[in-house]
Tab-separated table of all heavy atoms in Angstrom:
chain	number	residue	atom	x	y	z
A	10	LYS	N	-8.430	14.775	-104.454
A	10	LYS	CA	-9.586	14.587	-105.345
A	10	LYS	C	-10.437	15.846	-105.351
A	10	LYS	O	-10.756	16.404	-104.305
A	10	LYS	CB	-10.411	13.387	-104.841
A	10	LYS	CG	-11.845	13.337	-105.314
A	10	LYS	CD	-11.953	12.825	-106.722
A	10	LYS	CE	-13.357	12.958	-107.283
A	10	LYS	NZ	-13.389	12.752	-108.728
A	46	ASN	N	-14.353	5.616	-101.925
A	46	ASN	CA	-14.558	5.315	-103.343
A	46	ASN	C	-13.289	5.487	-104.168
A	46	ASN	O	-13.104	4.800	-105.177
A	46	ASN	CB	-15.695	6.171	-103.907
A	46	ASN	CG	-17.051	5.713	-103.388
A	46	ASN	OD1	-17.202	4.562	-102.974
A	46	ASN	ND2	-18.025	6.606	-103.382
A	49	LEU	N	-11.244	2.388	-103.553
A	49	LEU	CA	-11.793	1.252	-104.295
A	49	LEU	C	-11.618	1.387	-105.805
A	49	LEU	O	-12.068	0.530	-106.562
A	49	LEU	CB	-13.288	1.099	-103.977
A	49	LEU	CG	-13.625	0.724	-102.542
A	49	LEU	CD1	-15.123	0.758	-102.326
A	49	LEU	CD2	-13.069	-0.651	-102.210
A	50	SER	N	-11.020	2.499	-106.242
A	50	SER	CA	-10.821	2.726	-107.677
A	50	SER	C	-12.127	2.914	-108.435
A	50	SER	O	-12.206	2.651	-109.626
A	50	SER	CB	-10.051	1.555	-108.320
A	50	SER	OG	-8.828	2.013	-108.771
A	51	LEU	N	-13.160	3.377	-107.734
A	51	LEU	CA	-14.409	3.702	-108.423
A	51	LEU	C	-14.365	5.147	-108.908
A	51	LEU	O	-14.972	5.503	-109.904
A	51	LEU	CB	-15.607	3.515	-107.485
A	51	LEU	CG	-16.038	2.083	-107.207
A	51	LEU	CD1	-17.040	2.042	-106.068
A	51	LEU	CD2	-16.627	1.428	-108.450
A	52	LEU	N	-13.630	5.974	-108.168
A	52	LEU	CA	-13.536	7.393	-108.516
A	52	LEU	C	-12.161	7.711	-109.080
A	52	LEU	O	-11.151	7.147	-108.656
A	52	LEU	CB	-13.765	8.249	-107.268
A	52	LEU	CG	-15.194	8.518	-106.815
A	52	LEU	CD1	-15.176	9.299	-105.505
A	52	LEU	CD2	-15.980	9.281	-107.869
A	53	LYS	N	-12.164	8.613	-110.045
A	53	LYS	CA	-10.897	9.154	-110.548
A	53	LYS	C	-10.359	10.137	-109.517
A	53	LYS	O	-11.133	10.800	-108.826
A	53	LYS	CB	-11.151	9.951	-111.832
A	53	LYS	CG	-11.361	9.113	-113.044
A	53	LYS	CD	-11.531	10.071	-114.233
A	53	LYS	CE	-12.207	9.346	-115.363
A	53	LYS	NZ	-12.990	10.258	-116.212
A	71	TYR	N	-8.183	-7.616	-110.225
A	71	TYR	CA	-9.206	-8.570	-109.796
A	71	TYR	C	-8.772	-9.412	-108.610
A	71	TYR	O	-9.590	-9.814	-107.792
A	71	TYR	CB	-9.638	-9.451	-110.969
A	71	TYR	CG	-10.302	-8.655	-112.059
A	71	TYR	CD1	-9.780	-8.611	-113.344
A	71	TYR	CD2	-11.443	-7.899	-111.790
A	71	TYR	CE1	-10.378	-7.854	-114.340
A	71	TYR	CE2	-12.050	-7.145	-112.771
A	71	TYR	CZ	-11.516	-7.120	-114.047
A	71	TYR	OH	-12.107	-6.364	-115.021
A	74	LYS	N	-9.597	-7.264	-105.749
A	74	LYS	CA	-11.052	-7.134	-105.568
A	74	LYS	C	-11.639	-8.376	-104.913
A	74	LYS	O	-12.588	-8.302	-104.135
A	74	LYS	CB	-11.722	-6.895	-106.926
A	74	LYS	CG	-11.534	-5.478	-107.455
A	74	LYS	CD	-12.313	-5.289	-108.734
A	74	LYS	CE	-12.410	-3.819	-109.113
A	74	LYS	NZ	-13.203	-3.600	-110.333
A	79	ILE	N	-17.394	-4.803	-99.797
A	79	ILE	CA	-17.779	-3.417	-99.536
A	79	ILE	C	-19.238	-3.320	-99.113
A	79	ILE	O	-20.102	-4.041	-99.608
A	79	ILE	CB	-17.562	-2.489	-100.751
A	79	ILE	CG1	-18.302	-3.046	-101.973
A	79	ILE	CG2	-16.102	-2.296	-101.023
A	79	ILE	CD1	-18.602	-1.975	-102.973
A	85	ALA	N	-27.427	-1.216	-101.493
A	85	ALA	CA	-27.213	-1.688	-102.860
A	85	ALA	C	-27.747	-3.100	-103.022
A	85	ALA	O	-26.994	-4.068	-103.032
A	85	ALA	CB	-25.721	-1.632	-103.205
A	86	VAL	N	-29.085	-3.215	-103.107
A	86	VAL	CA	-29.689	-4.527	-103.342
A	86	VAL	C	-30.746	-4.364	-104.430
A	86	VAL	O	-31.163	-3.260	-104.740
A	86	VAL	CB	-30.349	-5.100	-102.064
A	86	VAL	CG1	-29.321	-5.300	-100.977
A	86	VAL	CG2	-31.480	-4.211	-101.588
A	89	GLU	N	-36.168	-6.529	-106.873
A	89	GLU	CA	-36.901	-7.649	-107.471
A	89	GLU	C	-36.424	-9.004	-106.959
A	89	GLU	O	-36.991	-10.029	-107.317
A	89	GLU	CB	-36.766	-7.623	-108.995
A	89	GLU	CG	-37.308	-6.377	-109.668
A	89	GLU	CD	-36.286	-5.254	-109.712
A	89	GLU	OE1	-35.147	-5.470	-109.248
A	89	GLU	OE2	-36.629	-4.156	-110.185
A	90	LEU	N	-35.340	-9.010	-106.167
A	90	LEU	CA	-34.831	-10.282	-105.664
A	90	LEU	C	-35.097	-10.390	-104.169
A	90	LEU	O	-35.104	-9.390	-103.452
A	90	LEU	CB	-33.325	-10.394	-105.925
A	90	LEU	CG	-32.869	-10.376	-107.388
A	90	LEU	CD1	-31.353	-10.531	-107.468
A	90	LEU	CD2	-33.552	-11.463	-108.200
A	94	GLU	N	-31.899	-14.424	-102.563
A	94	GLU	CA	-31.415	-14.260	-103.935
A	94	GLU	C	-30.412	-13.123	-104.067
A	94	GLU	O	-29.422	-13.234	-104.791
A	94	GLU	CB	-32.602	-14.012	-104.871
A	94	GLU	CG	-33.470	-15.237	-105.084
A	94	GLU	CD	-34.772	-14.937	-105.803
A	94	GLU	OE1	-35.236	-13.764	-105.743
A	94	GLU	OE2	-35.333	-15.853	-106.404
A	97	ASP	N	-27.184	-14.346	-102.709
A	97	ASP	CA	-26.671	-15.368	-103.619
A	97	ASP	C	-26.129	-14.737	-104.901
A	97	ASP	O	-25.095	-15.144	-105.423
A	97	ASP	CB	-27.793	-16.364	-103.951
A	97	ASP	CG	-27.269	-17.545	-104.747
A	97	ASP	OD1	-26.251	-18.134	-104.325
A	97	ASP	OD2	-27.871	-17.877	-105.780
A	98	TYR	N	-26.824	-13.730	-105.415
A	98	TYR	CA	-26.358	-13.088	-106.648
A	98	TYR	C	-24.968	-12.492	-106.462
A	98	TYR	O	-24.043	-12.780	-107.224
A	98	TYR	CB	-27.329	-11.997	-107.107
A	98	TYR	CG	-26.807	-11.248	-108.310
A	98	TYR	CD1	-26.702	-11.885	-109.536
A	98	TYR	CD2	-26.368	-9.930	-108.206
A	98	TYR	CE1	-26.182	-11.227	-110.646
A	98	TYR	CE2	-25.857	-9.265	-109.311
A	98	TYR	CZ	-25.764	-9.921	-110.526
A	98	TYR	OH	-25.246	-9.268	-111.625
A	99	PHE	N	-24.818	-11.668	-105.430
A	99	PHE	CA	-23.524	-10.995	-105.249
A	99	PHE	C	-22.440	-11.986	-104.856
A	99	PHE	O	-21.305	-11.891	-105.325
A	99	PHE	CB	-23.656	-9.854	-104.241
A	99	PHE	CG	-24.416	-8.684	-104.795
A	99	PHE	CD1	-25.658	-8.327	-104.290
A	99	PHE	CD2	-23.908	-7.949	-105.855
A	99	PHE	CE1	-26.363	-7.250	-104.819
A	99	PHE	CE2	-24.605	-6.877	-106.395
A	99	PHE	CZ	-25.840	-6.524	-105.876
A	101	GLY	N	-22.292	-14.983	-105.778
A	101	GLY	CA	-21.978	-15.750	-106.976
A	101	GLY	C	-20.990	-15.065	-107.905
A	101	GLY	O	-20.407	-15.705	-108.784
A	102	LEU	N	-20.799	-13.776	-107.742
A	102	LEU	CA	-19.804	-13.081	-108.558
A	102	LEU	C	-18.385	-13.427	-108.073
A	102	LEU	O	-17.399	-13.161	-108.749
A	102	LEU	CB	-20.015	-11.565	-108.501
A	102	LEU	CG	-21.371	-11.059	-109.031
A	102	LEU	CD1	-21.496	-9.554	-108.839
A	102	LEU	CD2	-21.547	-11.401	-110.504
A	103	TYR	N	-18.301	-14.015	-106.870
A	103	TYR	CA	-17.002	-14.392	-106.315
A	103	TYR	C	-16.828	-15.912	-106.275
A	103	TYR	O	-15.740	-16.422	-106.464
A	103	TYR	CB	-16.853	-13.867	-104.880
A	103	TYR	CG	-16.904	-12.371	-104.756
A	103	TYR	CD1	-18.123	-11.686	-104.744
A	103	TYR	CD2	-15.736	-11.619	-104.637
A	103	TYR	CE1	-18.176	-10.309	-104.628
A	103	TYR	CE2	-15.779	-10.243	-104.516
A	103	TYR	CZ	-17.008	-9.592	-104.509
A	103	TYR	OH	-17.053	-8.226	-104.399
A	110	ARG	N	-21.453	-22.069	-102.201
A	110	ARG	CA	-22.124	-20.776	-102.140
A	110	ARG	C	-23.361	-20.864	-101.247
A	110	ARG	O	-23.622	-19.967	-100.453
A	110	ARG	CB	-22.511	-20.350	-103.550
A	110	ARG	CG	-22.853	-18.885	-103.643
A	110	ARG	CD	-22.846	-18.415	-105.056
A	110	ARG	NE	-24.035	-18.837	-105.777
A	110	ARG	CZ	-24.019	-19.350	-106.993
A	110	ARG	NH1	-22.876	-19.536	-107.622
A	110	ARG	NH2	-25.136	-19.687	-107.579
A	130	TYR	N	-38.907	-9.854	-99.851
A	130	TYR	CA	-38.354	-8.871	-100.771
A	130	TYR	C	-37.926	-7.651	-99.962
A	130	TYR	O	-38.531	-7.349	-98.922
A	130	TYR	CB	-39.390	-8.479	-101.827
A	130	TYR	CG	-39.590	-9.566	-102.852
A	130	TYR	CD1	-40.582	-10.518	-102.712
A	130	TYR	CD2	-38.733	-9.649	-103.951
A	130	TYR	CE1	-40.738	-11.533	-103.648
A	130	TYR	CE2	-38.882	-10.659	-104.889
A	130	TYR	CZ	-39.885	-11.598	-104.728
A	130	TYR	OH	-40.021	-12.597	-105.647
A	143	ASN	N	-27.939	-5.393	-96.615
A	143	ASN	CA	-26.876	-4.698	-97.332
A	143	ASN	C	-25.508	-5.212	-96.892
A	143	ASN	O	-24.612	-5.435	-97.709
A	143	ASN	CB	-27.011	-3.193	-97.051
A	143	ASN	CG	-26.203	-2.356	-98.015
A	143	ASN	OD1	-26.097	-2.703	-99.185
A	143	ASN	ND2	-25.631	-1.273	-97.518
A	147	GLY	N	-22.392	-7.835	-98.761
A	147	GLY	CA	-20.992	-7.449	-98.894
A	147	GLY	C	-20.013	-8.427	-98.269
A	147	GLY	O	-18.822	-8.407	-98.602
B	1	MET	N	-20.469	-18.703	-114.772
B	1	MET	CA	-20.736	-17.296	-114.471
B	1	MET	C	-21.837	-16.745	-115.363
B	1	MET	O	-22.705	-16.014	-114.917
B	1	MET	CB	-19.451	-16.482	-114.657
B	1	MET	CG	-19.542	-15.073	-114.132
B	1	MET	SD	-20.045	-14.947	-112.399
B	1	MET	CE	-18.651	-15.687	-111.556
B	4	HIS	N	-25.226	-17.865	-114.075
B	4	HIS	CA	-25.534	-17.208	-112.801
B	4	HIS	C	-26.099	-15.813	-113.056
B	4	HIS	O	-27.191	-15.473	-112.581
B	4	HIS	CB	-24.266	-17.128	-111.950
B	4	HIS	CG	-24.467	-16.435	-110.646
B	4	HIS	ND1	-25.131	-17.021	-109.601
B	4	HIS	CD2	-24.117	-15.198	-110.229
B	4	HIS	CE1	-25.168	-16.176	-108.592
B	4	HIS	NE2	-24.564	-15.055	-108.938
B	5	ILE	N	-25.372	-15.026	-113.827
B	5	ILE	CA	-25.798	-13.641	-114.079
B	5	ILE	C	-27.066	-13.626	-114.934
B	5	ILE	O	-28.030	-12.916	-114.632
B	5	ILE	CB	-24.662	-12.844	-114.752
B	5	ILE	CG1	-23.484	-12.736	-113.777
B	5	ILE	CG2	-25.138	-11.462	-115.181
B	5	ILE	CD1	-22.245	-12.153	-114.366
B	8	TYR	N	-30.210	-14.570	-112.930
B	8	TYR	CA	-30.675	-13.535	-112.009
B	8	TYR	C	-31.170	-12.285	-112.736
B	8	TYR	O	-32.090	-11.618	-112.273
B	8	TYR	CB	-29.591	-13.191	-110.989
B	8	TYR	CG	-29.675	-14.096	-109.782
B	8	TYR	CD1	-28.665	-14.983	-109.465
B	8	TYR	CD2	-30.807	-14.079	-108.971
B	8	TYR	CE1	-28.761	-15.831	-108.366
B	8	TYR	CE2	-30.918	-14.915	-107.878
B	8	TYR	CZ	-29.894	-15.789	-107.580
B	8	TYR	OH	-30.021	-16.617	-106.501
B	9	ARG	N	-30.583	-11.973	-113.872
B	9	ARG	CA	-31.097	-10.823	-114.624
B	9	ARG	C	-32.493	-11.139	-115.171
B	9	ARG	O	-33.365	-10.280	-115.179
B	9	ARG	CB	-30.156	-10.422	-115.764
B	9	ARG	CG	-28.806	-9.841	-115.344
B	9	ARG	CD	-28.901	-8.858	-114.203
B	9	ARG	NE	-29.776	-7.727	-114.493
B	9	ARG	CZ	-30.420	-7.036	-113.571
B	9	ARG	NH1	-30.315	-7.337	-112.302
B	9	ARG	NH2	-31.178	-6.026	-113.914
B	11	LYS	N	-34.662	-13.032	-113.743
B	11	LYS	CA	-35.562	-12.898	-112.600
B	11	LYS	C	-35.884	-11.433	-112.336
B	11	LYS	O	-37.042	-11.054	-112.178
B	11	LYS	CB	-34.921	-13.494	-111.339
B	11	LYS	CG	-35.042	-14.987	-111.256
B	11	LYS	CD	-34.655	-15.486	-109.871
B	11	LYS	CE	-34.675	-17.004	-109.859
B	11	LYS	NZ	-34.324	-17.573	-108.562
B	12	CYS	N	-34.844	-10.622	-112.274
B	12	CYS	CA	-35.047	-9.201	-111.955
B	12	CYS	C	-35.964	-8.545	-112.973
B	12	CYS	O	-36.888	-7.822	-112.611
B	12	CYS	CB	-33.710	-8.454	-111.958
B	12	CYS	SG	-32.826	-8.589	-110.417
B	15	ARG	N	-39.610	-9.723	-113.012
B	15	ARG	CA	-40.365	-9.345	-111.822
B	15	ARG	C	-40.607	-7.844	-111.732
B	15	ARG	O	-41.266	-7.376	-110.803
B	15	ARG	CB	-39.614	-9.798	-110.572
B	15	ARG	CG	-39.684	-11.292	-110.357
B	15	ARG	CD	-38.866	-11.671	-109.156
B	15	ARG	NE	-38.667	-13.099	-109.060
B	15	ARG	CZ	-37.869	-13.672	-108.170
B	15	ARG	NH1	-37.208	-12.921	-107.309
B	15	ARG	NH2	-37.719	-14.971	-108.132
B	205	VAL	N	-27.995	-0.724	-113.997
B	205	VAL	CA	-27.505	-1.615	-112.948
B	205	VAL	C	-26.049	-2.036	-113.165
B	205	VAL	O	-25.512	-2.820	-112.392
B	205	VAL	CB	-28.381	-2.873	-112.762
B	205	VAL	CG1	-29.787	-2.489	-112.340
B	205	VAL	CG2	-28.392	-3.734	-114.005
B	212	ALA	N	-26.344	2.098	-106.954
B	212	ALA	CA	-25.495	1.518	-105.918
B	212	ALA	C	-25.219	0.042	-106.200
B	212	ALA	O	-24.126	-0.450	-105.945
B	212	ALA	CB	-26.171	1.679	-104.563
B	213	GLN	N	-26.223	-0.663	-106.772
B	213	GLN	CA	-26.009	-2.076	-107.099
B	213	GLN	C	-24.843	-2.217	-108.074
B	213	GLN	O	-24.068	-3.169	-108.009
B	213	GLN	CB	-27.244	-2.690	-107.765
B	213	GLN	CG	-28.477	-2.721	-106.915
B	213	GLN	CD	-29.342	-1.512	-107.205
B	213	GLN	OE1	-28.864	-0.380	-107.198
B	213	GLN	NE2	-30.613	-1.731	-107.451
B	215	ALA	N	-22.269	-0.204	-108.358
B	215	ALA	CA	-21.002	0.015	-107.667
B	215	ALA	C	-20.567	-1.284	-107.003
B	215	ALA	O	-19.399	-1.673	-107.064
B	215	ALA	CB	-21.159	1.128	-106.638
B	216	ARG	N	-21.527	-1.976	-106.411
B	216	ARG	CA	-21.182	-3.241	-105.761
B	216	ARG	C	-20.703	-4.278	-106.781
B	216	ARG	O	-19.687	-4.944	-106.578
B	216	ARG	CB	-22.391	-3.780	-104.997
B	216	ARG	CG	-21.997	-4.784	-103.941
B	216	ARG	CD	-23.178	-5.602	-103.515
B	216	ARG	NE	-24.059	-5.033	-102.494
B	216	ARG	CZ	-23.726	-4.854	-101.225
B	216	ARG	NH1	-22.524	-5.153	-100.815
B	216	ARG	NH2	-24.590	-4.365	-100.380
B	218	ASN	N	-19.478	-3.707	-109.717
B	218	ASN	CA	-18.200	-3.275	-110.282
B	218	ASN	C	-17.025	-3.636	-109.385
B	218	ASN	O	-15.894	-3.737	-109.843
B	218	ASN	CB	-18.186	-1.753	-110.501
B	218	ASN	CG	-18.978	-1.330	-111.731
B	218	ASN	OD1	-18.960	-0.181	-112.117
B	218	ASN	ND2	-19.681	-2.269	-112.360
B	219	MET	N	-17.275	-3.776	-108.090
B	219	MET	CA	-16.202	-4.112	-107.157
B	219	MET	C	-15.916	-5.607	-107.129
B	219	MET	O	-15.002	-6.052	-106.457
B	219	MET	CB	-16.565	-3.652	-105.741
B	219	MET	CG	-16.407	-2.163	-105.517
B	219	MET	SD	-14.882	-1.514	-106.202
B	219	MET	CE	-13.668	-2.435	-105.261
B	220	SER	N	-16.711	-6.391	-107.839
B	220	SER	CA	-16.498	-7.841	-107.838
B	220	SER	C	-15.383	-8.182	-108.833
B	220	SER	O	-15.030	-7.374	-109.681
B	220	SER	CB	-17.792	-8.549	-108.238
B	220	SER	OG	-17.943	-8.465	-109.645
B	221	PRO	N	-14.839	-9.396	-108.732
B	221	PRO	CA	-13.739	-9.745	-109.640
B	221	PRO	C	-14.189	-10.150	-111.042
B	221	PRO	O	-13.417	-10.731	-111.780
B	221	PRO	CB	-13.064	-10.910	-108.915
B	221	PRO	CG	-14.118	-11.498	-108.070
B	221	PRO	CD	-15.052	-10.404	-107.699
B	222	VAL	N	-15.445	-9.857	-111.418
B	222	VAL	CA	-15.892	-10.171	-112.775
B	222	VAL	C	-15.804	-8.899	-113.620
B	222	VAL	O	-16.238	-7.836	-113.180
B	222	VAL	CB	-17.347	-10.681	-112.783
B	222	VAL	CG1	-17.725	-11.173	-114.169
B	222	VAL	CG2	-17.527	-11.777	-111.762
B	223	HIS	N	-15.237	-9.039	-114.817
B	223	HIS	CA	-15.062	-7.863	-115.671
B	223	HIS	C	-16.423	-7.230	-115.957
B	223	HIS	O	-17.396	-7.910	-116.281
B	223	HIS	CB	-14.400	-8.259	-116.985
B	223	HIS	CG	-13.871	-7.083	-117.751
B	223	HIS	ND1	-14.707	-6.173	-118.357
B	223	HIS	CD2	-12.619	-6.649	-117.974
B	223	HIS	CE1	-13.978	-5.232	-118.928
B	223	HIS	NE2	-12.700	-5.503	-118.714
B	377	GLN	N	-14.072	2.633	-116.357
B	377	GLN	CA	-14.354	1.943	-115.102
B	377	GLN	C	-14.218	2.856	-113.891
B	377	GLN	O	-14.547	2.480	-112.785
B	377	GLN	CB	-13.408	0.772	-114.939
B	377	GLN	CG	-13.364	-0.095	-116.176
B	377	GLN	CD	-13.119	-1.532	-115.839
B	377	GLN	OE1	-13.755	-2.072	-114.959
B	377	GLN	NE2	-12.174	-2.141	-116.519
B	378	LYS	N	-13.652	4.051	-114.116
B	378	LYS	CA	-13.526	4.989	-113.003
B	378	LYS	C	-14.352	6.206	-113.345
B	378	LYS	O	-14.389	6.629	-114.492
B	378	LYS	CB	-12.071	5.426	-112.854
B	378	LYS	CG	-11.205	4.497	-112.056
B	378	LYS	CD	-9.832	5.134	-111.965
B	378	LYS	CE	-8.962	4.462	-110.940
B	378	LYS	NZ	-7.646	5.132	-110.871
B	379	TYR	N	-14.983	6.777	-112.357
B	379	TYR	CA	-15.911	7.864	-112.624
B	379	TYR	C	-15.411	9.164	-111.988
B	379	TYR	O	-14.700	9.140	-110.991
B	379	TYR	CB	-17.293	7.521	-112.077
B	379	TYR	CG	-17.808	6.220	-112.619
B	379	TYR	CD1	-17.452	5.011	-112.038
B	379	TYR	CD2	-18.611	6.203	-113.755
B	379	TYR	CE1	-17.903	3.813	-112.554
B	379	TYR	CE2	-19.068	5.006	-114.273
B	379	TYR	CZ	-18.712	3.818	-113.670
B	379	TYR	OH	-19.160	2.633	-114.183
B	380	ALA	N	-15.823	10.287	-112.573
B	380	ALA	CA	-15.455	11.585	-112.003
B	380	ALA	C	-16.230	11.807	-110.713
B	380	ALA	O	-15.748	12.404	-109.763
B	380	ALA	CB	-15.740	12.697	-112.991
B	381	SER	N	-17.459	11.324	-110.687
B	381	SER	CA	-18.231	11.393	-109.450
B	381	SER	C	-19.268	10.288	-109.457
B	381	SER	O	-19.629	9.765	-110.506
B	381	SER	CB	-18.884	12.766	-109.299
B	381	SER	OG	-20.062	12.817	-110.046
B	382	LEU	N	-19.723	9.930	-108.259
B	382	LEU	CA	-20.703	8.835	-108.166
B	382	LEU	C	-22.053	9.389	-107.733
B	382	LEU	O	-22.117	10.325	-106.981
B	382	LEU	CB	-20.259	7.785	-107.155
B	382	LEU	CG	-19.057	6.937	-107.537
B	382	LEU	CD1	-18.815	5.876	-106.494
B	382	LEU	CD2	-19.251	6.272	-108.892
Side-chain angles (χ1 to χ4, degrees):
Chain A
K10 160 79 188 167
N46 288 337
L49 294 174
S50 245
L51 285 169
L52 279 176
K53 283 183 200 151
Y71 296 120
K74 285 185 167 182
I79 55 157
V86 298
E89 299 86 2
L90 298 181
E94 289 170 336
D97 187 49
Y98 175 68
F99 288 113
L102 299 176
Y103 298 81
R110 196 164 76 225
Y130 286 93
N143 195 36
Chain B
M1 191 55 66
H4 178 74
I5 295 172
Y8 272 115
R9 292 317 302 153
K11 279 192 185 180
C12 276
R15 287 177 192 173
V205 298
Q213 297 95 310
R216 200 198 276 291
N218 283 187
M219 283 316 298
S220 78
V222 188
H223 195 290
Q377 310 212 47
K378 276 183 167 181
Y379 304 84
S381 82
L382 290 185

